[in-house]
Amino acid sequence: MEYRIEHDTFGEIKVPAEKLWGAQTQRSKQNFKIGGERIPLGVIQAFAHLKKSTAIASHSFGNLSEVKMKAIKTAAEEVIEGKWDDHFPLVVWQTGSGTQSNMNMNEVLANRGNQLLEEWGEEDRLHPNDDVNKSQSSNDTFPTALHVAGVIAVEREVLPAIDKLKETFEKKSEDFKDIIKIGRTHLQDATPLTLGQEISGWHRMLEKTRSMLETSVQSMKELAIGGTAVGTGLNAPVGFGEKVAEEISKSVGIDFTSAENKFHALTSYDEVVYTHGALKALAADLMKVANDVRWLASGPRSGIGEITIPENEPGSSIMPGKVNPTQSEALTMVVAQVMGNDATIGFAASQGNFELNVFKPVIIYNFLQSAKLLADGMISFNDNCAVGIEPNREEIDNKVKNSLMLVTALNPYIGYENAAKIAKKAHKEGTTLKEAALSTGLLTEEQFDEYVDPSKMTGNQ
């Protein structure tokens, strides 16, 4: 491998000749050989939006020449397009402020920008600190990129995935609105409802958690940029944060604002905890839905078997013909990961000391992983399972006919205790509810048929 010599305040260091990063990136790469989890591309792209915007802002304040601004802007746009993804090699497990990732971006943009300046026949050259990082600190750039990346993930990945699955459940709820089945509480038989009503609960879960996410993510649209090292804005012109937020909004296509209090923005991640809490609420609902689906589809002969789901692949290496609820299993594993991520984010966010929180990389790594897994998981569950849910009408009807909890309809006419006697008698003797009721002499056949009508017990009448 060929190398070139780069230098920083620590001296000279060899860097792979074909790479755009510089000395500080190389030192981090050598000093933090921990795991393989790299800084997510979502953060890299958010950083590129930020550096493009800071260059424009610095130029507008007269602190950066037009040609340098143009070089940084062009290089940043190339990063946003994914042209230089393999030039951002740093792992999550680095400095807690994300300084090396900030410098990784500064160095790549400076070196690529200098290539462009040379191609354009310009004599000016970019410096990663003096030009690309002008009026900034890692302490305000990393949290800014963190918020931008998190907002993009929620609004452009998670919310559309929710909408897709929600639409499926809305359709299924309408399609199955007249299919009467037995409800279950405590995993025991309960009173009737329709399959459409049951699925409407799933639909409403997604409506509610979508609303929670929409509300909570607004708080993440406040950006730390302009606070520089400790929140005072040292070395940044007055109004710099506001101008950068305005430019980021244009670049990303989402409205961001400059945080009112930069001291809070540098050291606190309460907005991220709040928003990830909504992701956790979504995960909790998805666990319930996925479990309901696999219970209701269990069988095909020895389980509940009230619905059928698509058969996507063989389920066993030893049992021929076995098919498993694999989409439910995948989605519930996603939920387990999100719950763990929430614990990590909550703990990491609690570790702000004085003017800075130094758990930033692990916070955004877990946040973006949760968003990605939930979005992908919902789309996979929708496309490969939910859209193919169908009722097993024969099994549903048999369970309704044999249910003992239909006796609840008799409470207003013969009282709770007498109704309980009928249910227990039918269960003990293995007879139908009707047979047990008539044998007690508490009501006639005509009365039983009038009072015990499952269609009247669903609330649809």
Side-chain angles (χ1 to χ4, degrees), residues 423-434:
K424 289 179 180 295
K425 180 179 176 64
H427 182 55
K428 183 178 181 180
E429 297 177 359
T431 63
T432 66
L433 200 61
K434 184 175 183 178

Side-chain angles (χ1 to χ4, degrees), residues 47 50-66 68-69 72 102-103 105-107 109-110 125-138 140-141 225-229 233-237 240-241 244:
F47 250 120
L50 168 62
K51 296 298 180 176
K52 169 185 171 182
S53 300
T54 55
I56 294 171
S58 291
H59 175 62
S60 71
F61 282 100
N63 295 330
L64 190 69
S65 69
E66 183 173 358
K68 284 187 174 183
M69 179 273 289
I72 295 171
N102 180 43
M103 286 307 303
M105 180 61 67
N106 290 337
E107 290 171 346
L109 295 184
R125 291 294 179 267
L126 293 167
H127 188 281
N129 297 84
D130 296 337
D131 297 311
V132 185
N133 201 60
K134 183 176 287 293
S135 300
Q136 303 155 61
S137 162
S138 300
D140 67 348
T141 59
I225 193 68
T228 64
L234 179 67
N235 291 347
F240 184 74
V244 174

Side-chain angles (χ1 to χ4, degrees), residues 40-96:
L41 287 177
V43 177
I44 302 304
Q45 291 177 347
F47 250 120
H49 283 291
L50 168 62
K51 296 298 180 176
K52 169 185 171 182
S53 300
T54 55
I56 294 171
S58 291
H59 175 62
S60 71
F61 282 100
N63 295 330
L64 190 69
S65 69
E66 183 173 358
V67 70
K68 284 187 174 183
M69 179 273 289
K70 182 182 176 184
I72 295 171
K73 178 176 177 289
T74 302
E77 288 171 345
E78 291 179 351
V79 172
I80 293 168
E81 293 168 4
K83 187 173 181 179
W84 307 110
D85 287 353
D86 61 346
H87 294 255
F88 298 93
L90 301 188
V91 295
V92 171
W93 322 108
Q94 54 167 283
T95 177

Side-chain angles (χ1 to χ4, degrees), residues 21 28 36 56 95 129 162 182 211 213 216 287 291 370 392 433:
W21 67 68
S28 180
I56 294 171
T95 177
N129 297 84
I162 291 176
I182 288 300
S211 177
L213 268 173
S216 59
M287 177 69 85
N291 280 337
S370 290
N392 184 343
L433 200 61

Side-chain angles (χ1 to χ4, degrees), residues 28-48:
S28 180
K29 195 172 184 297
Q30 294 175 186
N31 291 338
F32 296 96
K33 296 178 180 179
I34 305 173
E37 297 84 3
R38 287 166 60 167
I39 293 293
L41 287 177
V43 177
I44 302 304
Q45 291 177 347
F47 250 120

